[in-house]
Amino acid sequence: MSDAYYTTRLGHDERREKVWRYLTPYLQRFVPENASVLELGAGYCYFINRLRAGRRVAVDLSPEIERWKGPGVESFSGDALEYLRGIEPQQFDFILASNFFEHFEWPALQEMIALIFRALKTSGRLAVIQPNFRLAAGRYFDDYTHRTIFTDVSLGDWLRAGGFDIVKMIPRFLPLSVKSRAGGLSFLVPLYLRLPYRPLAGQMFALAERPATGSIR
């Protein structure tokens, strides 16, 4: 992913920052106290900068990660696979991958899920926020860097095949992007997340856990 991506498709957008202002507290409930947390594809660090945790690590391809990270956040500028290959096992209690996995081909994804499993402590959790192709097929490839299709069914099956237990799966989680019709209504995010049915949703949410026993299936 080139630096040009950040000035075209993923440029700084105040609406996106506002969404994470509300979304981070929602995710905070799944993070243990004083946890060690990793964000893959951290981008502008909207999540990791706000999160309360004992250790926070942001990984992103962009060299600008050094500028975007907040005080106390460790950063790695480079390929996520390279980072995951180089760390010791069972480093993290919680890993977030938001709008991340769809940018990779299957061979890289198969290696990555094994490395994420390895990086998590026992009972550690992986949170995934992801475009849901079943809900947003017509716009899924508006982002020219999308490579792999996921639905709420295929994502859940892939995580289980990687050895994880599914704690929570929400097929309709958020609008597809801040550029969608509902994207400008960031102040409604707390209410939206409480709705039993979420109109205009195009993103899904999965929370997976490394079980106390077992290995990659």
Side-chain angles (χ1 to χ4, degrees), residues 2 44 47 52 60 85 124 139 166 172 189 205 210:
S2 68
Y44 295 97
F47 166 75
R52 300 187 311 276
D60 199 90
R85 290 180 193 125
R139 297 190 60 197
I166 303 300
R172 294 178 173 270
V189 168
F205 173 74
R210 175 174 174 161

Side-chain angles (χ1 to χ4, degrees), residues 159-175:
L159 293 171
R160 291 186 189 95
F164 288 92
D165 292 334
I166 303 300
V167 177
K168 185 182 289 287
M169 176 65 75
I170 304 176
R172 294 178 173 270
F173 186 58
L174 288 171

Side-chain angles (χ1 to χ4, degrees), residues 5-78:
Y5 182 75
Y6 291 93
T7 59
T8 55
R9 184 67 191 177
L10 197 63
H12 176 76
D13 192 315
E14 185 179 341
R15 292 171 299 178
R16 188 178 293 110
E17 184 174 8
K18 287 180 179 177
V19 167
W20 280 104
R21 194 178 302 165
Y22 298 112
L23 192 53
T24 302
Y26 176 90
L27 296 173
Q28 182 80 61
R29 74 185 72 181
F30 304 119
V31 180
E33 187 176 352
N34 203 37
S36 181
V37 177
L38 168 65
E39 183 177 7
L40 297 171
Y44 295 97
C45 298
Y46 297 140
F47 166 75
I48 202 74
N49 283 350
R50 288 188 171 89
L51 189 74
R52 300 187 311 276
R55 181 191 179 200
R56 296 172 295 160
V57 181
V59 172
D60 199 90
L61 270 178
S62 175
E64 294 295 302
I65 191 76
E66 291 293 328
R67 181 165 62 91
W68 297 329
K69 70 168 186 173
V73 175
E74 302 171 38
S75 65
F76 177 86
S77 173

